[in-house]
Amino acid sequence: MKRRERGLRRSGRTKLPFWRVAVAVLGGAGLAFLTYFFFLNWSVVKSFDATSALLKGDILALQLANPNLSSLKASQSQVLSQLYQEQETSALQFPSSKKAIAKAIEVANQVNQEIDLRYKASPSSAQSSSPAGAPPSAQSQQQMTQERQQEAQSQQKLNSLLSSNSVNPSPSSADSSAAVPQSQKVTKPW
């Protein structure tokens, strides 16, 4: 046996124990996983920075007097798709990255809803396609004021109907109480 070991040493081939091979393989796999983990998180953070910059730009553009709603809508669909792509690898992300992406998705959805509301409230799509910062024409301003007045009038009518219903109960509820037999009526102590 000693002759065999000497022969292996002379030839340069030594047999490693199994546990050393297992440790080397597991260590290599662990190092590869950590490299992938940190590279993935780095790329997600870089992508998220670019996406959040787009989202901030859309929020600022939405605050203008006359924003271009169609371009904002297209930009928001791009922002949301990028955020959802970044969220796909959330199992391997740092908790701070997960929270930031979830918050950005929430904000992007709110911005998208605001764009939809403004798009529906705009008198025509021609107004939304006008360049940002261009003053609205007198006719479009007049249409907007008329729509606001109509909305206010309908709201007042609705409020008056609601208040009249709460003061005067409907006759159907009074009739239904009269239809209850005397044996089932509850007598009030006062």
Side-chain angles (χ1 to χ4, degrees), residues 28-155:
L31 185 62
F33 175 75
L34 286 175
T35 304
Y36 173 74
F37 177 76
F38 285 110
F39 178 74
L40 175 76
N41 278 286
W42 175 78
S43 65
V44 165
V45 167
K46 288 296 231 182
S47 175
F48 178 73
D49 287 344
T51 306
S52 62
L54 281 173
L55 180 59
K56 288 176 186 175
D58 289 348
I59 291 171
L60 290 174
L62 191 59
Q63 293 174 353
L64 293 173
N66 192 12
N68 188 345
L69 295 176
S70 58
S71 68
L72 281 176
K73 184 91 172 145
S75 176
Q76 273 303 295
S77 66
Q78 178 186 0
V79 165
L80 279 172
S81 69
Q82 286 178 352
L83 287 172
Y84 286 129
Q85 281 180 341
E86 293 163 6
Q87 195 181 35
E88 286 177 356
T89 58
S90 64
L92 297 174
Q93 292 173 0
F94 292 126
S96 59
S97 297
K98 286 183 196 179
K99 288 179 185 175
I101 291 172
K103 182 66 176 170
I105 288 173
E106 183 181 322
V107 170
N109 282 328
Q110 290 174 354
V111 169
N112 209 12
Q113 288 175 354
E114 179 66 26
I115 291 171
D116 287 342
L117 287 174
R118 287 193 185 186
Y119 198 75
K120 289 176 184 175
S122 67
S124 67
S125 60
Q127 178 191 359
S128 64
S129 63
S130 65
S137 66
Q139 184 179 5
S140 65
Q141 282 182 345
Q142 190 176 23
Q143 285 179 343
M144 287 172 40
T145 54
Q146 286 176 353
E147 287 178 1
R148 288 182 184 152
Q149 287 174 351
Q150 288 175 353
E151 287 176 9
Q153 289 173 355
S154 63
Q155 185 65 35

